[in-house]
Every structure is written in C-alpha cells, then in structure tokens.
Amino acid sequence: MATKLSALYVGHGWRGFSSSNHSNLRLPVTPARFLPFSFKNRQRIFSSQRNRQQAIKFSHEPPPLDEKFQTSDDEYSEVQCAIPDTITSSPEETTSTSTEVDNGFTAKNTETTFDSSVPVDEKSTTENGDGGGKLSNVRLEDLIGMIRNAEKNILLLNQARVRALEDLENILSEKEALKGEISILEMRLADDDARIKVASTEKIPVEVLEDQLEKLKNNITGRREAEESGQDVYEDWDQFLKERAPLSHDNSLYSLSEVQSISKELRSLRTENVSLKEGIQELKAELNNIMEADERLLLLEKERSSSEAALKDLESKLVAAQADVSKLSYLQFECMDLREKIESLQGLLYRSTEQADQAISALQENHELRKKVDRLEESLQETHAFQTSSDNKHDGLMQQKFRLLEELVERSDQKIHSNIELYQQSVKEFQDTLNSIQEESKKKAEDGPVDDMPWEFWSRLLLIIDGLLLEKKISSSDASLLREMAWKRDGRICDAYLACKDKSELETRSTFLRLTSIRSYSPVLHIIHIAAEMAPIAKVGGLGDVVAGLSKALQNKGHLVEIILPKYDCMQYDRIGDLRALDVALESHFDGQLFKNKVWVGTVEGLPVYFIEPLHPAKFFWRGNFYGEHDDFKRFSFFSRAALELLLQAGKKPDIIHCHDWQTAFVAPLYWDLYFHKGLDSARICFTCHNFEYQGTASASELASCGLDVHRINRPDRMQDSSSQDRVNAVKGAIVFSNIVTTVSPTYAQEVRTAEGGHGLHATLNTQSRKFIGILNGIDTDTWDPRTDTFLKVQYGADDLQRKAENKEALRKHLKLSYAEARQPLVGCITRLVPQKGIHLIRHAIYRTVELGGQFVLLGSSPVPHIQKEFEGIANQFQNNPHVRLILKYDEALSHAIYAASDMFIIPSIFEPCGLTQMIAMRYGSVPVVRKTGGLNDSVFDLDDDSVPLQIRNGFTFLTPNEQGVNGALDRAFDNYMNDSESWQQLVKKNMKTDFSWNLSAAQYEDLYAKAITKAREKTTHT
C-alpha cells in the first residue's frame, strides 16, 4: 500500500485521490482556516436572511431532512472497513498524528497554515533506513486521519446541502405565497375594476375609490419589499453555493451537479420574480389608467349634470310656452268674440248716431224757429203798437199771419219731441243690447262649455286635480266636482286655471275650492282603461291602437276617459306631454309584503294618462322590453293590483273599468274579491280580449302573489285552466268575473266559441255567452289620413289620385325598383311574420305576383328565428330583382309610404281577430286581397260576390288557406286592375271615402257601458 501511494493533494476542497509511480510522497494537509471561514460566511448569510424574514414578518417551518443526504454510522463504518488490516501503528503515534490532523480541521483561531501543494521533505525517509516501516506506519496513520477528516468534510457538505435544500424549499414556499398574494391582488384589482364600473353607473363617491386605491398601493408596496427581500436571499444563497462548490473528491461530484441545478433553479426564480415585478408595474399602470378614467368620469358627470340642468330649464320654458299657447288660443277666441260684439255695437252706435244727428238738426231747426218766433213777437209788439195808433186797417191780415206762425211753431215742437223720443229709444235699445250681451257672456262663462281649448288643456287640468287629491290637499268630494267641471269644459274652471297659472299652489287650490261651492254636476260616464299598451308611446300590436283610438272617440263624445299604464323604460317619452311625478307614495301588496310605487302623470294626444313605476327589487318594467320576460305573470299581476290601489287611494268613482288582454285580466277578480269590499264599488268591469291565443297561464301558486285566494279561485268554474288542475288562466278569470266581455270583431266572436278557435276557452265563452259580444275595431283616422300624412312625399285624397301615383313612383325609386311602367301593379304587405299571418301564403304570393307581371314589397320581421332566416334567404334571392323588395324590420315612415304607393294589399291570415291593415290600406286607396276569417270577413267584401250589396263590395277574398285560394284572388285582382281601369278607380275612390273611424265602434261600447250601469242601478234599487 505504501509503495503505491506517491502523492496526495488537498486543495480548497477534496478533489479526489490520484496515484502514480513517483517516489515522492506529498503529505496531504487541509487548510486550517477554510472551514471556519466557510461556516462563518454561512452564519452571516443565514443571519441576514433571518433578519429580513423577521422584517417582512414571514415565518417558515423547516421541512424534514431528505434521507438520502443524511450520513449514518454504517456509512462511516464502511469507510473504516475499506482500510487494510495490515496497516498498524503505535497508539501514541496514531493518536498524536490524528490529533494534529483533527486540530488542523477544527481549530477556529489557529495561525498554522499548510500548503497542500508543497511535498513533504523526503529526507526523513533516507536518514534512517531502519525506520522505514515506522515511517510507513506513520504515513498510514496520517492517511487514515485524513480520510476521517475527509468524511467529516463530506458530512459537513451534506449537512450544508441539506440546509441549502431546506432554505430552497422555504424560498419556493415564499414564492408560492407571493404568487398567491399576487393572485389575490389581481382579484382585488378586478374587483376594483368592477366597482369602478358600478361607480360610473351608480355614482359612487370618488373619495371611496381613492381610499381603495391607496390601500392597493400599500399592499403593492408591501409585496414589493417582500420580493426584494426574497431576491436578497436568492443572491446570498447563490454566492454561498459558489463558495461551497469544491469541497469533496471524485465520489462527491454528484453533490456539485445538484448544487449547480439548485443554482439554476434559484436564477430561474429570480427571473420569475423580475417578471412578477414587471407585472406589478403593469398593474400600477392600470391603476393609474383607472384613476384617469375616474377623473374623466367625473368630468362627464359634471357635463351631464349641466346638460340635465339645461334640459330642465328648457323643459320649464317649454311648459311655460305651452301654457302661453293655451292662454293665447283662449285669448284669440275671446278676441274673436269681442270683435263680433264690437261690430254689432258699432252698428248700433251708427244707427244711434244717425238718430242723434237727426235730433241735433231738429234742435237746430227749432232754434231757428225760436229766433223767428222772437222776431215775430217783436213784430207783434210793433203791430200791437201800430194797432193802437192806427185805425186797425190791416188787423185781419196780421191775425192770419200770427195764426200761421203759431201752427209752424207747434209743428216744429212736435217734430223736435218725436226726434228726442227716437233718440232716447235708440239709447235705451243700445243699453239693453249691451246689457244682454254682457249677461249672455256672463252666463256663457258660467254654464257653457269652452270648445276652443285643446284636449291637452283639459287633460292637464284633470291631472292637476287628481294630483291635489292624491297629495291630500283637497277632499274627494271637491275633487269629484272639479273633475266634472273639467270634463264638462266649464268656462269658469278654465278661467280660474288660466288666472292661477302663475300663482302659487295655495292660491290655485283656494280658487278651485271656491268653484266647488257654486253648483253641482251630474256626470255622464267616467271610464278608466287599464292596459299594457297605448299607441304611440307603448305599442307592440293592435292593442295599443285600440286603447288610444277608443279612448279618444269616447272622449269626443263628452265622457271622462283616463288610462293607466306601466311606466316602461322603453316607452317613447318624447310623445308624452307634461310628464311629472306626483308627490305621493302608493303602496300595494305583493308576495305578502308592501311595496312602494311611484305615480307619474302626463297627456298623450289629449288623453290623461297615469304611469305606475313599481319600486320593486325585480325592476319589473325596466327590462328594455314590453313583453317576453320569464316573470311576465308576476309583472302584470303586480301592475293590475297597483292600478286598483291607485283608484282606491285617489278616491275615484269610475262607472266603467275597462281592462285589456291577459296582462290586465287580473283586474276583474281582484276588483270583486278585494277592492269592491274596500269601497271601490261604483264600477262595472269590461274585459276585451284581442287574441285568444294568448291567455296568461301559470302555476296556481303564482296567483297568490297578488293576494287572490288560490283555493277559492282555482276552480273549473273560475280561473282553473282546462289543461291542468294545477294551473290558472288569467283570461278565463276575466271572462268569469267581468260584467261585459268583448272581442274585436263579430266573426272572431263566433270562431272562438268553437273547439277549433277557442284555444280551450270555448266552453267558458259559451257558458258566458249572454255578456260576450264582438265589436269591430276602428282606426285612428287622424293618424291614418293621406290628406295630412307628413310621412308621404305628397298628400292626396279620393279626388286627386294622380298624387297617389306620385307616391308610388317615389317608393319605387327609394327601394330601387323598376319604375319605367307606371301602370305596373304594386302589391304591398305589412305584417309580423308569424304562423298566424299565413307565412307560406305570403311566400307564395311573392312568386305569384312576379309571374303575373307585378311588383311586391314586404315590410315586417319575425320573432321566430327559422322564419326570419327563411325570409332573409328570399330577400337575398330577390336582392337584384327590379320587382321585389323584402324589408325585414319595422319602419313607421316606410309603412305609411307603402300604404300610399301600393295598388293592392294582401293579408292571407290563417286567423285574424280583427286586423287594422286592411282598413288603413283602403283609406289610402289600396284594394285589399284577404282571406275570409275574423275581422277580415267583417270588413272586406268580395267584388264578385252577388250575395253582398254592390255598394259595400270593396276587395277580393278567398276562403281556402292554400296556394290555389291565393292564386284565385290575386288573378281576379290583377285582371280587374289591368283590363278595367275605370271601375278600379271608382273602387279606390269608394274605399277611400268609407268611414273606418272609431265613431260607430265607440257608440256600440257606449251602449254596452250604459246597459251594464243601468242594470247595476236597477239591481241596487231592487235590493
């Protein structure tokens, strides 16, 4: 063994053993100050690390040591066994040598250093040859000591590596913690973004956002300090590992590779932390952007506030201007009346002046006669003197002259007196006429209606009266009298309102109250419509047109008509006049709780309208849609009860409450079950169903929300739906609980009493047939009038159809259709594309019109996706065709233009409760081509039907809902248009002069109302 060991080196760490054949033997000596220095450096590193950890308040529990890095006693024994048994030495020398070596490794403050690169002097080996064995033994003992020291160093290196791994795990855990905190920070930033968005809509004070941003800044600063601390730890460990890298021989090379991998991982961690810092910087930049956006939001908010203030100022000016216009119109009427009175007075004055002139001339003549009489008296005196002096020679002659003069004076006096009498009589007549005019004017002001004021004026006045009542500023009896005066258009309340226009509310109230003590009134009919639609402000279908048209017709007949609507967020608010909120809290029950409602009032085309805005958490009518919500049953049952609560709290005593369709069908059972017993007991209920396909069915439990007794109502003879015992039917309930039930045409009333057309309600309708009737709707002839329609290029009437041709040419140019042939027939169609309207027949009519040489224009859209897509395909097919255009949307202005331009109008409905388009088309001179069903059968009569009087034939009809039926009607219409233009023109003129207004329909409703009220009064009198 001694001969094989030539040299052994120990450097900064163990680099292993190397054997050669050299004779020189170098004694390995480990630097004495290496380990102490390394351990001190390690202690400083960990001390600084612990200080930083305490500074940022992080605490980590060291993970357990990895078993593969722990050196056991077995490993140490294996190293000892590797030494040959032949190596021996004296105990003293071995102990001495080992002690020296060990001291070289463990002494901390020794000054002795050994150079591992200097070989031991070989002189000692040659001085005493006999001592070779002893030297060999000494060297072997030294070698054993060095091996043991190497093992200790390996153990120390393993321990250091274990500690490094522990610290690395701590660092990784800190990294994960930092990542978690950064994730939390990102979530907080996202929350702050959401809060800022909410703040932009709900106007959260900016100070709160600034506080939150300041907290975020503090959190970011804390995280950044923690990051920097972690970065220092990484750098210290990196330096430590570099210093500790070369500590073992070849057998411990695996430790160096692991240390290098740890170093790489630390560097990657450092890179990740740098990226995290960059991410935090980006988050800070986003926070700055948020603050800038918040500042911009504040500026926009200020601009909005100023715009709102300007808008309110303009609105106040508009209200003042409207009041001035109303006052001006009243003054204009007064001026016209006074002008007529002045003209009559001027005539009387002229006659009186003539008579006065005659009297003056007579007086002048009398004066002249007086002078003459005076002269005659003088002459008489002279004559008398002459008589006394003469012999009465001329006595007879003078007496004759004297008698003549006396006669002349007498006649002059008579004439003067007669003229004076005439003058006095003229003055008296003038005064009497003036007095009679004044009395007539006074009486007219007291009793006569004021006809020159617009309906908006009276509606506004009615809403003011109701506002005073709801705000409890006048009594219900006073409000009732004032309402009657207003709807009678009494001149005194008109004068009182105009006189108090610029005065305080207290003075206005006092003036109104003085009027209530003068006379009482007997109302005609007080009618209140409760509906979900009203044209033009909230219109989806024909319901809105009916509510507006019928209300205006009844108002024109002298009745008091009011409407109650939900306050949708999607209404056309620009069409509402004098919209304002009442200072009253209207509370209504729902779901066992009391909910507040805000009440708004305004006028729509001269009609007083109340708008109910529920202050319910579900925001029932702030959805951007009129219908189609998942909770429509709840929305409209809530509205129905709130409407009745408004009538009760306002102290109204209507004669008729008219509700429409399933949305307000709840009014009927609510009225009789709840509100009739609370004092709202003056009204009869009228229910109109515009389409029995929509019935408002729901689970019976949902009916309890509005306060109805489900167990009592959910019965087959009341509201139980025919399809299930657990469901209720709102329309069925209205049919059962109403006094009057109507639908929108006589034919449709017959159709819905059959199993095919009743949609499950035919049995109920047949049971209630005594109170069920069909009344054909009318149209608003003010809105639909080609003589005044502002949507048209040129207005026209029945006597100037050439101007209708100009509208046809204008539409063709607008839609880029061929307009080379003026006589080419144009077929129009305006409809919702739903199965009810016969969409397969509309599609066929397009192709058939092209085959017949005509043009076709369709305006409408479909809520059914596949139908909309199908017609979009047809529109694309005819995109470049000069004879067909499909506009798949609704356009109000374009609809007017199509009515005016079309020669024919096709309506091939499968069923049609009433239909208004055929009436509008005829009013605009477009001949209808329709299927005989519902209201179409009641308003369009075939030109070739001999069973119908000739004077009412007005279009072309077919019965079978198939392509052959459409072909037959269209072919006959085209043949008549192309081959008999004169009779076609006569047909168009006759249709345009037909009365499609609401007058006849309103008279029928008026008769129904009166009969129901009379019957109720007779019943009350009998009981």
Side-chain angles (χ1 to χ4, degrees):
M1 182 71 180
T3 58
K4 292 181 180 180
L5 294 175
S6 60
L8 182 63
Y9 291 90
V10 179
H12 189 65
W14 287 100
R15 298 185 182 276
F17 293 89
S18 63
S19 59
S20 63
N21 295 324
H22 291 286
S23 59
N24 293 334
L25 179 64
R26 299 180 182 273
L27 187 64
V29 180
T30 302
R33 291 190 297 177
F34 169 74
L35 286 177
F37 171 79
S38 299
F39 294 157
K40 287 179 182 180
N41 188 32
R42 180 179 180 277
Q43 289 172 359
R44 284 196 301 272
I45 292 172
F46 285 110
S47 176
S48 62
Q49 179 185 3
R50 284 192 299 270
N51 292 336
R52 291 190 183 97
Q53 289 175 345
Q54 292 174 0
I56 61 174
K57 298 182 180 180
F58 282 126
S59 63
H60 302 283
E61 294 181 1
L65 295 177
D66 195 343
E67 291 179 2
K68 68 179 182 178
F69 295 118
Q70 295 178 1
T71 304
S72 63
D73 293 336
D74 295 336
E75 291 175 343
Y76 184 75
S77 62
E78 287 177 1
V79 174
Q80 284 183 326
C81 293
I83 302 172
D85 294 336
T86 56
I87 301 175
T88 58
S89 62
S90 64
E92 296 80 0
E93 291 175 350
T94 303
T95 301
S96 174
T97 307
S98 299
T99 301
E100 291 176 1
V101 176
D102 289 341
N103 289 339
F105 279 91
T106 59
K108 291 184 179 180
N109 300 320
T110 180
E111 296 297 330
T112 306
T113 60
F114 297 92
D115 187 358
S116 60
S117 62
V118 179
V120 179
D121 189 5
E122 299 178 359
K123 184 178 179 180
S124 58
T125 61
T126 58
E127 286 180 350
N128 190 359
D130 296 333
K134 183 177 180 179
L135 181 60
S136 176
N137 289 335
V138 172
R139 291 176 180 172
L140 288 174
E141 291 174 358
D142 292 340
L143 182 59
I144 291 170
M146 286 186 290
I147 290 172
R148 290 177 178 173
N149 289 332
E151 290 174 355
K152 290 180 181 180
N153 288 335
I154 291 171
L155 287 174
L156 290 174
L157 181 60
N158 288 336
Q159 292 174 359
R161 186 180 60 178
V162 168
R163 292 190 182 94
L165 291 173
E166 291 175 0
D167 292 333
L168 179 60
E169 289 179 359
N170 291 337
I171 291 169
L172 291 174
S173 63
E174 289 178 8
K175 175 187 173 184
E176 294 298 327
L178 286 174
K179 286 183 177 180
E181 291 177 358
I182 290 172
S183 300
I184 293 171
L185 183 59
E186 291 175 348
M187 292 172 63
R188 289 180 180 175
L189 287 174
D191 291 340
D192 289 336
D193 290 338
R195 291 173 183 170
I196 289 171
K197 291 180 180 179
V198 172
S200 63
T201 57
E202 299 183 0
K203 305 177 183 177
I204 297 177
V206 180
E207 292 78 6
V208 176
L209 291 176
E210 290 179 349
D211 292 340
Q212 293 177 352
L213 290 173
E214 189 64 29
K215 291 179 182 179
L216 286 174
K217 287 181 180 179
N218 295 334
N219 290 336
I220 291 172
T221 303
R223 298 301 153 302
R224 187 169 56 190
E225 291 178 356
E227 235 180 64
E228 292 175 354
S229 175
Q231 182 71 19
D232 293 341
V233 172
Y234 302 153
E235 292 176 357
D236 291 343
W237 270 108
D238 193 18
Q239 183 64 30
F240 169 73
L241 291 173
K242 285 181 179 179
E243 293 176 355
R244 294 295 298 165
L247 283 178
S248 72
H249 51 77
D250 291 339
N251 292 334
S252 59
L253 285 177
Y254 72 94
S255 301
L256 294 176
S257 63
E258 290 182 1
V259 169
Q260 290 176 357
S261 66
I262 291 172
S263 179
K264 290 180 180 178
E265 187 172 356
L266 288 175
R267 283 193 295 271
S268 66
L269 290 175
R270 187 182 306 151
T271 305
E272 288 183 10
N273 285 333
V274 171
S275 65
L276 289 175
K277 288 178 67 177
E278 293 176 352
I280 290 174
Q281 293 297 326
E282 293 177 357
L283 291 176
K284 289 175 66 178
E286 290 182 3
L287 284 175
N288 292 331
N289 294 335
I290 291 171
M291 293 179 67
E292 293 176 359
D294 192 33
E295 292 176 356
R296 290 194 296 270
L297 181 62
L298 287 175
L299 293 175
L300 291 174
E301 192 68 26
K302 291 179 180 178
E303 292 180 0
R304 187 184 64 80
S305 300
S306 61
S307 299
E308 286 180 350
L311 181 60
K312 289 181 180 178
D313 186 35
L314 290 174
E315 288 177 350
S316 62
K317 290 181 180 178
L318 178 60
V319 170
Q322 289 176 345
D324 292 340
V325 169
S326 300
K327 191 172 182 180
L328 181 61
S329 62
Y330 176 72
L331 290 175
Q332 286 176 347
F333 174 76
E334 284 189 344
C335 288
M336 292 174 62
D337 191 21
L338 290 174
R339 189 177 294 111
E340 293 176 358
K341 294 176 182 178
I342 289 171
E343 289 176 356
S344 63
L345 289 174
Q346 284 177 346
L348 291 173
L349 183 61
Y350 179 73
R351 290 193 298 271
S352 299
T353 303
E354 287 181 347
Q355 294 173 359
D357 291 340
Q358 293 175 0
I360 290 171
S361 62
L363 287 173
Q364 289 176 352
E365 290 177 0
N366 190 18
H367 183 65
E368 293 294 332
L369 288 173
R370 285 292 180 186
K371 288 181 180 180
K372 291 178 180 180
V373 169
D374 291 339
R375 286 195 297 271
L376 287 173
E377 287 178 353
E378 291 176 358
S379 300
L380 284 173
Q381 288 177 0
E382 291 176 358
T383 301
H384 183 69
F386 180 75
Q387 281 180 343
T388 57
S389 61
S390 66
D391 56 0
N392 297 324
K393 182 178 181 179
H394 302 290
D395 186 45
L397 182 61
M398 292 301 296
Q399 288 179 357
Q400 186 179 359
K401 288 181 178 180
F402 183 75
R403 285 192 298 269
L404 181 62
L405 287 173
E406 285 181 349
E407 291 176 0
L408 289 173
V409 170
E410 186 177 357
R411 286 198 299 269
S412 177
D413 288 338
Q414 290 177 356
K415 189 176 182 180
I416 289 170
H417 285 300
S418 65
N419 287 332
I420 290 172
E421 288 176 358
L422 287 173
Y423 175 74
Q424 290 176 348
Q425 185 178 359
S426 299
V427 172
K428 185 180 180 181
E429 288 179 358
F430 176 78
Q431 189 65 38
D432 292 342
T433 304
L434 185 61
N435 292 334
S436 64
I437 290 172
Q438 289 177 347
E439 290 177 1
E440 183 182 355
S441 178
K442 184 177 180 181
K443 185 177 181 181
K444 185 177 180 181
E446 291 178 354
D447 301 328
V450 179
D451 296 326
D452 64 310
M453 301 302 288
W455 277 111
E456 285 83 359
F457 173 84
W458 300 108
S459 297
R460 191 183 311 122
L461 183 56
L462 284 168
L463 293 174
I464 290 173
I465 294 169
D466 286 338
L468 291 173
L469 174 62
L470 288 170
E471 294 169 356
K472 301 187 183 303
K473 295 176 180 177
I474 60 175
S475 65
S476 60
S477 59
D478 291 336
S480 179
L481 290 174
L482 290 172
R483 284 196 202 105
E484 292 175 20
M485 294 177 71
W487 85 61
K488 289 286 189 179
R489 292 174 290 167
D490 187 274
R492 290 187 304 164
I493 195 171
C494 174
D495 294 338
Y497 175 67
L498 292 175
C500 298
K501 190 67 178 176
D502 298 327
K503 294 183 180 180
S504 65
E505 185 180 291
L506 180 62
E507 292 175 323
T508 303
R509 184 180 62 181
S510 300
T511 304
F512 283 170
L513 290 177
R514 282 196 294 270
L515 295 175
T516 60
S517 61
I518 297 175
R519 62 178 294 188
S520 61
Y521 292 85
S522 58
V524 181
L525 283 179
H526 183 188
I527 305 159
I528 295 177
H529 289 272
I530 303 176
E533 296 182 36
M534 180 186 180
I537 59 172
K539 176 183 173 181
V540 175
L543 169 60
D545 294 311
V546 172
V547 172
L550 178 58
S551 298
K552 285 194 286 186
L554 291 170
Q555 186 186 62
N556 291 333
K557 288 179 174 290
H559 301 296
L560 172 60
V561 184
E562 298 174 308
I563 298 108
I564 302 177
L565 295 175
K567 188 175 183 295
Y568 301 101
D569 60 344
C570 51
M571 288 193 303
Q572 295 186 31
Y573 284 92
D574 57 329
R575 306 292 293 271
I576 306 174
D578 301 319
L579 181 64
R580 64 187 180 92
L582 296 180
D583 185 16
V584 58
L586 177 68
E587 293 184 335
S588 61
H589 281 273
F590 199 75
D591 284 332
Q593 303 179 49
L594 270 177
F595 291 96
K596 291 184 178 181
N597 300 271
K598 197 171 185 179
V599 181
W600 298 72
V601 294
T603 59
V604 179
E605 296 186 349
L607 292 165
V609 185
Y610 297 82
F611 302 95
I612 295 178
E613 178 185 359
L615 303 180
H616 191 279
K619 297 185 180 298
F620 283 143
F621 300 108
W622 290 84
R623 311 280 185 84
N625 294 309
F626 296 108
Y627 308 131
E629 299 296 320
H630 69 282
D631 56 349
D632 276 354
F633 194 89
K634 280 185 173 291
R635 295 169 69 213
F636 290 103
S637 60
F638 181 99
F639 165 70
S640 297
R641 174 149 190 177
L644 290 173
E645 192 68 33
L646 172 63
L647 300 183
L648 179 65
Q649 295 190 22
K652 291 182 179 291
K653 296 290 182 180
D655 298 298
I656 296 293
I657 297 176
H658 197 150
C659 47
H660 300 263
D661 274 353
W662 77 264
Q663 289 86 359
T664 56
F666 307 98
V667 168
L670 283 169
Y671 176 82
W672 292 111
D673 266 23
L674 299 177
Y675 285 89
F676 182 82
H677 307 290
K678 293 183 178 182
L680 184 62
D681 55 1
S682 63
R684 303 294 95 179
I685 306 297
C686 178
F687 172 69
T688 299
C689 184
H690 300 257
N691 191 335
F692 280 91
E693 186 178 11
Y694 308 102
Q695 299 178 7
T697 61
S699 173
S701 60
E702 291 193 34
L703 194 62
S705 297
C706 64
L708 291 171
D709 187 349
V710 177
H711 298 290
R712 201 173 68 83
I713 293 293
N714 186 25
R715 287 167 34 181
D717 61 338
R718 295 191 176 179
M719 290 189 70
Q720 188 179 95
D721 189 48
S722 59
S723 65
S724 173
Q725 295 181 356
D726 297 329
R727 296 185 69 79
V728 290
N729 187 314
V731 170
K732 181 178 179 180
I735 294 171
V736 172
F737 283 91
S738 296
N739 304 102
I740 307 167
V741 180
T742 70
T743 191
V744 291
S745 68
T747 300
Y748 187 58
Q750 296 300 319
E751 291 174 350
V752 295
R753 292 177 63 180
T754 64
E756 295 78 13
H759 300 281
L761 289 177
H762 57 283
T764 303
L765 290 170
N766 287 318
T767 303
Q768 306 288 338
S769 60
R770 285 190 174 185
K771 60 182 179 182
F772 180 51
I773 189 173
I775 299 177
L776 187 67
N777 288 337
I779 61 173
D780 188 345
T781 52
D782 294 330
T783 301
W784 299 105
D785 188 352
R787 297 169 298 180
T788 59
D789 195 335
T790 57
F791 288 113
L792 305 184
K793 181 181 180 182
V794 291
Q795 288 75 38
Y796 64 96
D799 298 325
D800 52 354
L801 294 180
Q802 180 57 39
R803 298 172 71 85
K804 175 178 171 63
E806 295 180 26
N807 286 290
K808 181 178 179 180
E809 182 181 358
L811 179 70
R812 285 171 159 178
K813 290 180 179 179
H814 175 70
L815 298 179
K816 298 181 180 178
L817 294 171
S818 173
Y819 54 91
E821 187 178 348
R823 283 284 298 163
Q824 185 178 12
L826 176 63
V827 180
C829 183
I830 301 174
T831 184
R832 290 182 300 117
L833 296 174
V834 292
Q836 170 199 339
K837 301 297 182 179
I839 54 175
H840 65 292
L841 302 179
I842 295 174
R843 179 177 60 245
H844 175 73
I846 296 173
Y847 293 97
R848 185 60 179 173
T849 299
V850 175
E851 291 175 5
L852 294 174
Q855 294 180 321
F856 197 99
V857 176
L858 168 68
L859 176 65
S861 61
S862 176
V864 185
H866 76 271
I867 297 177
Q868 181 76 10
K869 187 175 181 180
E870 177 186 356
F871 275 84
E872 287 174 355
I874 299 173
N876 293 332
Q877 177 185 349
F878 289 102
Q879 184 176 6
N880 298 319
N881 190 299
H883 303 299
V884 177
R885 285 294 177 271
L886 276 66
I887 302 94
L888 300 180
K889 62 178 182 178
Y890 183 73
D891 188 320
E892 180 72 16
L894 187 57
S895 68
H896 287 247
I898 293 174
Y899 282 123
S902 59
D903 300 299
M904 306 167 202
F905 206 88
I906 189 164
I907 312 170
S909 300
I910 303 302
F911 73 93
E912 190 65 63
C914 176
L916 300 178
T917 54
Q918 76 275 14
M919 303 180 196
I920 299 172
M922 285 188 279
R923 184 159 174 79
Y924 279 70
S926 181
V927 177
V929 179
V930 306
R931 180 174 175 268
K932 292 172 66 66
T933 180
L936 299 174
N937 185 54
D938 296 322
S939 56
V940 180
F941 306 97
D942 197 282
L943 198 65
D944 300 323
D945 189 354
D946 295 333
S947 64
V948 176
L950 183 62
Q951 60 269 21
I952 65 172
R953 300 180 198 175
N954 53 11
F956 299 89
T957 65
F958 63 96
L959 182 60
T960 308
N962 55 25
E963 297 178 357
Q964 290 75 22
V966 173
N967 290 347
L970 268 180
D971 291 353
R972 289 187 294 117
F974 267 73
D975 181 67
N976 190 290
Y977 178 86
M978 300 299 293
N979 300 322
D980 195 351
S981 61
E982 184 176 352
S983 65
W984 186 271
Q985 294 292 321
Q986 293 175 356
L987 175 62
V988 170
K989 290 180 179 180
K990 180 177 69 174
N991 288 350
M992 293 184 70
K993 293 179 180 180
T994 304
D995 183 12
F996 294 107
S997 70
W998 271 99
N999 292 333
L1000 180 59
S1001 303
Q1004 290 179 275
Y1005 274 106
E1006 190 178 27
D1007 185 53
L1008 285 176
Y1009 296 159
K1011 287 181 180 178
I1013 294 169
T1014 302
K1015 185 178 179 180
R1017 288 175 181 170
E1018 290 175 354
K1019 185 177 180 180
T1020 303
T1021 304
H1022 180 70
T1023 56

